Amino acid sequence: MSVLSAFLSDRVIAPTGVAGERTSCALSELKPGARARIIDVRDEVDQAVARRLFDLGFRPGVQVDVVRRAPMADPVIFRVAGCELALRRAQARCIRVSLEA
Amino acid sequence: MTSATGQTAGHARQSEARVALVGSPNSGKTTLFNALTGLRAKTGNYPGVTVSRYEGAAEVAGRRVVIEDLPGSYSLDPISPDERVLTDVLDPLNAGVQSPDALLVTLDATTMPRSLGLLAQVMQTDFPVCVVLTFTDELTRRQGALDVAALSRAVGVPVLAVTGGRRSDLVALRELLSRPQEWARPVVPPPHAPMEVAAWITSVLSSARYELPEGDARTRRVDAVLLHPVWGTLVFFVTMFAFFQVIFTAAAPLQDAIGSLFAWLGGLANSRISNGLLSSFVSEALLGGVGGVLVFLPQIVLLFLMINLLEGVGYMARAAFLMDRVMSKAGLEGRAFVALLSSVACAVPGIMATRTLPSARDRIATMMGAPLMTCSARLPVYVLLIGLVVPSGAGWGPISAQGATMFGLYLVGALSAMVAAWVFSRLGRSSGPLLPFSMEIPPYRIPSARSVALSTLDAARTFLRKVGKIILVTTIVLWLLLNLPARSTADLQAAGVNPANHTAVSAYVIDHSFGAAVGHAVEPVFQPLGFDWRINIGVLASLSAREVFVATLGQVAAAETPDTPTIALRTMRVEEGPRAGELLFTPPVVAALLLFFLYALQCMSTIAVMRRESGTWRWPAIAFGYMFVLAWVMGLAARLVVGAVT
Amino acid sequence: MAGDLAVVPVHPESLPDDPRTLRWVIPAGTLGFVGMPVEVPAPLRQLLDDATLAGLTVEPAAVRLTLAAGLEWREQGVRVRDALQAALAVPEQWQAPDLADATDAMAAMAAPGDDVLRAAVHQVLDGEVGDYIRSHGGQVILLSAHESEVEVQLSGACRHCPASDVTLTERLEGGVRALYPGLLRLTARDEPGPGAGRRMLRLIPTRGR
């Protein structure tokens, strides 16, 4: 492994510490059409997954829209940072969001 | 860098600049690569991994620059072997792969907040970096905005907008490519701590007056149908059906034409070359081998034309999205569906189609399952064998017993393929890291005809160059095995064979060939399945292509028409051993043969293409091994079960 | 460590004619003053004290940092950025330059922020927008910048250019607002001359975020 990727794999995606706001929930709980703002990635999530979600644009403070679900409700397409990404529910469950109007 | 003038060609080659393309998937990286290198690209493999390596030369300002298209990735923090290749290449300390002299980073202008994250990581390396902004036209169309000059100032490296490989944009890029050592370097590289990177991205985008584009209205309208639970699924199956039809039926006349052409050439060779053995070598081994390679081309070209079109448009990601839930049961992702389906026509294009899978683990798992799908080459074998034991008239009402047996074989093949893929995917999971699943759903875009054509051409060319050689060698070796030692007229007369009777001569030659020796030698292995040395010759010959089994058995049995040897085979009797005198092709033996052909990897072309796509002999060896064991066990079980029933 | 604090967006831009100085671009309005601060937060203070930094000037939306002679940004960059980032997290600890000794007569009646606004207008007129005007043979002079309102005078080729109403003022206002988000209005006045009246332009309101 290169020095750089070793460096990057040391990154810590820490929870933001924003306490459970009244509207905070998991990204996987939202219905298509909902809009939310990302709070953080849950503490118990594997760091490799957390770092990848961060690199994919799921960063704290970023707005995310639920676009649509696949026929059997999994995976789900989200719109984040200008692009549409499908995540399986297992991953979407790791992302804590606050609902927006 | 030193001037190339006055140096020898060898030195000039050494001083060639290497520029690597880095970018996330769907960032227009490969389109740019094709636009820069065109037909001069060549495909290889990175050492020891199932990751294709694309490299090509570009002519810039009278100099040759080698361009390398690195695997697409969202991050330099690797989670898959493909991404590890990228970080290895970007690691100057890694002696295993050659590092480039400079990097071109393609950034999709419509997804800048994410793309800049990758750029920030790439700028941590010491390479000179130049940014190529793609899809700026789409950004404007979707009401977004970006000031290219301001972006360049903010990131501290040259930034150039290149739209869909447009020539005028490329002129400026080529100009830059000719002198990478003069590119502006950032005085302070971007931060790497997550929240600081996020802040850096915000700051850079604000300076570049970036406006995030609106969602693509066109894409939203099309997706309302194509990703609809009912209509979308319907469209998916119609698309796949069309897909299958094209590789199965549309390719057939072309394949027949190639077959006829080589038959005609063979006839020509036969009539021109007087030496019998030589003429037979040229017409059967050489021309037969070349024809056996070329016959795959129509399928490969058609399949890749469709895959590249669907991929370029953006439908493949959607098909994967729709099929994800189903395929995840087999431990695979949606895209593997196309590869498995194509394998019903032929495993060769099917295995080549695995290159569209983003993860190496999925590619291997799919490759290991794909050859079990019932390919069209098994069809003549099945028809012959089923015809031997199942009466053509038998059946239940409108359902014919022959058709039902055939259907059962297809079904068992498909199920076995899924199970095999699931097993290999499981095995791969225990050794590799857990991949968080994510799939980008790009907006619908019109693919560049050039890119589609080049990728298709590349698939065909790699097949001919890398796979063709192996198929040709196999054909020649098998021909030699089955036709040597050569028999003179005196030999034949001494053995009581009439030299004028072609059928008798060819039967005598093959029955006393080196191949027959091999057939005798492996008899203990196949004896439990009820195969004798003559069936073994057929099994051996079928390694060049399964359908050869039919004609070879015909030749061995001295059938008048070797291509339809049913009658001759029905009367074949066991020569020696406890069953001596009994009919050879009894229902238990035929059942064993059917299952043997269902499971065994009796196809050197598949082995060769697996070697090419996986980059090592390891995977084809594993595949051949596990399938042989499976085929043997299943064959034995079938013989015992059918033997007990009848 | 930066997890619970919002990190101030910042990135450096180099100046073509001065390799020792970097403009660290920050969001407009972060500090609320321009010029050389009297005091800066401890992390930056330390770099000034240990002679890593030779100069520090605040612009409307940037901090100009000049390295001491003999030092390289390539080596000091990360350290300086960390210090700046820490300092920007506590904007209240930056002490604005004293305006009392300003000789400008306007200074007496200046409202807080006027100096930032003035600097913003000058920066826009010195930059791309100014270049554009000059390349078309026009001239713009700042008449006043007070309480978030700006008045400029157009002269030269601008006067009769039909584009001056919309394009020019739009670009001017957009540029100033990027550096001074509180801008209320920008008024363009023709050069006083026979028959030239005063034109007031209500310009596009700020785009909602």
Side-chain angles (χ1 to χ4, degrees):
Chain A
M1 190 184 271
S2 73
V3 180
L4 174 59
S5 49
F7 216 42
L8 289 171
S9 67
D10 281 344
R11 291 176 299 165
V12 176
I13 312 289
T16 48
V18 177
E21 289 172 31
R22 50 203 152 72
T23 49
S24 104
C25 61
L27 186 56
S28 57
E29 292 167 38
L30 302 184
K31 297 237 156 17
R35 168 169 291 186
R37 203 164 279 279
I38 295 174
I39 300 176
D40 56 12
V41 173
R42 277 173 206 285
D43 213 1
E44 64 270 21
V45 174
D46 182 61
Q47 272 296 313
V49 176
R51 290 198 308 271
R52 178 46 54 106
L53 288 173
F54 183 90
D55 290 337
L56 285 171
F58 292 90
R59 302 174 185 143
V62 167
Q63 180 182 295
V64 53
D65 291 312
V66 186
V67 181
R68 71 179 76 243
R69 289 174 179 168
M72 280 172 280
D74 194 16
V76 182
I77 301 180
F78 300 101
R79 206 181 140 65
V80 66
C83 75
E84 296 192 356
L85 275 168
L87 292 186
R88 288 189 183 149
R89 295 181 80 82
Q91 267 95 46
R93 210 173 288 136
C94 311
I95 301 171
R96 205 159 62 106
V97 295
S98 68
L99 209 57
E100 296 212 334
Chain B
M1 184 163 286
T2 53
S3 156
T5 51
Q7 287 181 324
T8 63
H11 282 116
R13 189 170 293 270
Q14 295 242 310
S15 72
E16 267 172 6
R18 279 182 81 83
V19 178
L21 288 176
V22 181
S24 53
N26 303 308
S27 65
K29 186 168 61 67
T30 300
T31 306
L32 181 68
F33 174 75
N34 285 334
L36 282 173
T37 61
L39 287 167
R40 284 161 297 184
K42 55 175 196 268
T43 318
N45 259 83
Y46 288 101
V49 281
T50 326
V51 179
S52 297
R53 175 180 200 152
Y54 298 92
E55 212 177 270
E59 208 69 51
V60 293
R63 284 182 45 196
R64 248 172 64 103
V65 171
V66 177
I67 314 266
E68 183 174 0
D69 188 12
L70 292 172
S73 176
Y74 297 107
S75 167
L76 296 189
D77 175 9
I79 54 169
S80 74
D82 304 53
E83 296 180 353
R84 191 150 299 130
V85 163
L86 175 60
T87 56
D88 283 349
V89 173
L90 296 190
D91 179 7
L93 299 178
N94 190 319
V97 279
Q98 190 178 0
S99 288
D101 301 310
L103 303 176
L104 273 189
V105 182
T106 52
L107 300 184
D108 178 348
T110 65
T111 63
M112 287 305 276
R114 187 193 64 198
S115 316
L116 280 182
L118 179 66
L119 180 65
Q121 296 181 352
V122 172
M123 282 168 63
Q124 307 281 337
T125 63
D126 282 332
F127 298 105
V129 167
C130 172
V131 169
V132 175
L133 273 183
T134 54
F135 303 114
T136 45
D137 51 340
E138 193 179 312
L139 178 75
T140 319
R141 182 168 61 75
R142 285 164 53 191
Q143 329 290 316
L146 177 66
D147 181 336
V148 177
L151 177 67
S152 176
R153 265 199 308 279
V155 295
V157 300
V159 178
L160 208 69
V162 174
T163 308
R166 201 184 285 156
R167 265 170 220 287
S168 52
D169 296 339
L170 287 174
V171 171
L173 179 60
R174 286 215 168 87
E175 172 62 28
L176 267 176
L177 277 175
S178 65
R179 40 187 175 82
Q181 59 290 349
E182 290 170 29
W183 294 350
R185 310 282 286 269
V187 268
V188 182
H192 60 268
M195 292 318 287
E196 282 176 35
V197 172
W200 180 80
I201 293 171
T202 309
S203 184
V204 165
L205 288 181
S206 152
S207 279
R209 291 190 273 282
Y210 183 68
E211 306 263 353
L212 202 62
E214 291 169 2
D216 186 22
R218 189 172 59 184
T219 297
R220 201 179 318 129
R221 278 196 302 274
V222 177
D223 274 348
V225 178
L226 291 193
L227 295 182
H228 186 274
V230 178
W231 305 125
T233 313
L234 198 69
V235 169
F236 171 78
F237 281 109
V238 168
T239 309
M240 288 303 130
F241 182 74
F243 216 95
F244 186 60
Q245 280 296 308
V246 170
I247 36 178
F248 216 121
T249 50
L254 293 168
Q255 292 179 305
D256 289 348
I258 291 173
S260 316
L261 175 69
F262 278 88
W264 177 77
L265 284 175
L268 203 66
N270 267 335
S271 63
R272 293 292 166 86
I273 303 169
S274 50
N275 181 318
L277 193 66
L278 186 65
S279 87
S280 145
F281 177 77
V282 170
S283 69
E284 286 166 27
L286 280 186
L287 289 171
V290 173
V293 173
L294 291 182
V295 82
F296 287 108
L297 269 192
Q299 281 184 338
I300 288 173
V301 169
L302 285 169
L303 176 77
F304 273 86
L305 206 56
M306 288 186 299
I307 287 185
N308 291 329
L309 264 177
L310 290 182
E311 181 84 53
V313 168
Y315 188 71
M316 285 299 263
R318 277 140 180 111
F321 171 73
L322 288 171
M323 288 310 290
D324 186 69
R325 191 69 196 274
V326 177
M327 295 304 283
S328 66
K329 294 262 183 283
L332 300 175
E333 65 143 300
R335 270 163 213 256
F337 191 86
V338 173
L340 287 180
L341 186 77
S342 309
S343 301
V344 179
C346 175
V348 171
I351 285 171
M352 287 179 79
T354 60
R355 60 170 77 168
T356 58
L357 301 179
S359 122
R361 182 172 60 100
D362 285 2
R363 277 201 292 279
I364 292 292
T366 313
M367 248 180 240
M368 293 292 115
L372 293 178
M373 300 295 281
T374 303
C375 66
S376 52
R378 284 185 177 95
L379 210 54
V381 179
Y382 287 175
V383 168
L384 172 77
L385 292 175
I386 293 174
L388 279 177
V389 288
V390 181
S392 63
W396 308 269
I399 304 162
S400 95
Q402 288 193 341
T405 314
M406 186 71 88
F407 179 76
L409 290 167
Y410 267 86
L411 201 66
V412 172
L415 284 176
S416 306
M418 295 290 275
V419 171
W422 180 82
V423 170
F424 278 94
S425 162
R426 267 298 153 104
L427 292 175
R429 193 176 306 171
S430 63
S431 63
L434 182 71
L435 286 161
F437 168 86
S438 70
M439 190 165 46
E440 186 171 351
I441 310 288
Y444 289 106
R445 287 167 175 156
I446 297 164
S448 101
R450 186 186 165 88
S451 245
V452 170
L454 281 174
S455 313
T456 308
L457 207 66
D458 174 63
R461 201 165 49 170
T462 334
F463 172 78
L464 285 186
R465 204 181 284 160
K466 303 276 167 66
V467 182
K469 215 186 314 172
I470 304 176
I471 298 180
L472 187 61
V473 168
T474 315
T475 314
I476 291 175
V477 167
L478 284 173
W479 185 89
L480 293 176
L481 276 178
L482 297 180
N483 289 278
L484 292 184
R487 303 291 165 182
S488 66
T489 313
D491 292 342
L492 294 171
Q493 276 161 347
V497 177
N498 176 8
N501 182 342
H502 271 290
T503 313
V505 170
S506 70
Y508 179 80
V509 169
I510 199 169
D511 289 355
H512 297 83
S513 65
F514 294 130
V518 175
H520 279 293
V522 297
E523 228 171 0
V525 177
F526 288 106
Q527 206 250 328
L529 277 66
F531 302 177
D532 76 344
W533 64 274
R534 291 168 297 183
I535 296 182
N536 294 348
I537 295 179
V539 169
L540 176 72
S542 76
L543 276 173
S544 65
R546 289 184 180 89
E547 67 269 23
V548 171
F549 178 75
V550 177
T552 309
L553 268 190
Q555 201 182 341
V556 171
E560 293 297 332
T561 48
D563 290 337
T564 49
T566 313
I567 299 166
L569 297 190
R570 275 217 181 104
T571 54
M572 270 173 92
R573 289 182 186 278
V574 181
E575 288 177 332
E576 55 204 23
R579 284 176 62 220
E582 288 176 36
L583 284 177
L584 179 60
F585 288 96
T586 56
V589 171
V590 169
L593 258 177
L594 279 173
L595 282 215
F596 182 81
F597 270 95
L598 199 161
Y599 285 107
L601 187 47
Q602 284 304 105
C603 178
M604 273 309 287
S605 310
T606 305
I607 292 173
V609 81
M610 230 182 237
R611 151 78 184 96
R612 158 68 202 102
E613 294 296 320
S614 71
T616 68
W617 280 110
R618 177 166 168 239
W619 290 109
I622 290 175
F624 187 83
Y626 103 80
M627 287 188 199
F628 183 84
V629 171
L630 197 61
W632 193 90
V633 171
M634 290 304 210
L636 182 64
R639 186 182 175 209
L640 295 178
V641 169
V642 174
V645 172
T646 52
Chain C
M1 75 194 166
D4 43 359
L5 276 179
V7 183
V8 176
V10 56
H11 76 268
E13 293 191 1
S14 48
L15 303 167
D17 46 356
D18 184 0
R20 274 181 33 219
T21 305
L22 282 185
R23 274 187 78 229
W24 293 82
V25 180
I26 59 174
T30 306
L31 293 175
F33 67 88
V34 289
M36 289 167 66
V38 174
E39 190 48 277
V40 292
L44 266 187
R45 179 81 260 161
Q46 201 187 332
L47 292 184
L48 285 164
D49 289 348
D50 71 8
T52 304
L53 289 177
L56 186 159
T57 320
V58 177
E59 291 180 13
V63 179
R64 264 181 204 242
L65 298 178
T66 306
L67 272 190
L71 294 181
E72 290 283 338
W73 275 112
R74 222 168 266 287
E75 281 136 30
Q76 305 296 329
V78 175
R79 201 171 138 235
V80 173
R81 179 180 53 215
D82 289 348
L84 178 64
Q85 201 103 59
L88 287 172
V90 283
E92 67 283 357
Q93 291 178 25
W94 294 63
Q95 206 177 326
D98 219 347
L99 289 177
D101 58 340
T103 50
D104 196 324
M106 298 274 283
M109 47 179 285
D114 281 5
D115 53 340
V116 180
L117 182 55
R118 198 161 32 241
V121 176
H122 280 305
Q123 195 176 320
V124 171
L125 293 182
D126 290 346
E128 277 173 48
V129 181
D131 289 344
Y132 172 80
I133 296 168
R134 281 185 287 279
S135 73
H136 287 70
Q139 230 182 328
V140 184
I141 301 161
L142 172 63
L143 294 179
S144 78
H146 184 51
E147 289 187 327
S148 301
E149 295 196 17
V150 174
E151 201 174 4
V152 295
Q153 178 184 294
L154 305 180
S155 59
C158 293
R159 265 178 70 193
H160 311 295
C161 176
S164 67
D165 275 15
V166 192
T167 322
L168 186 56
T169 29
E170 211 174 87
R171 289 186 66 174
L172 263 178
E173 181 170 349
V176 175
R177 177 159 289 131
L179 298 173
Y180 189 92
L183 179 69
L184 286 179
R185 81 178 69 167
L186 185 143
T187 315
R189 204 164 68 171
D190 276 349
E191 187 180 23
R198 190 181 153 152
R199 276 186 315 192
M200 262 269 281
L201 293 160
R202 280 290 311 147
L203 293 157
I204 358 93
T206 333
R207 273 236 249 166
R209 303 238 128 214

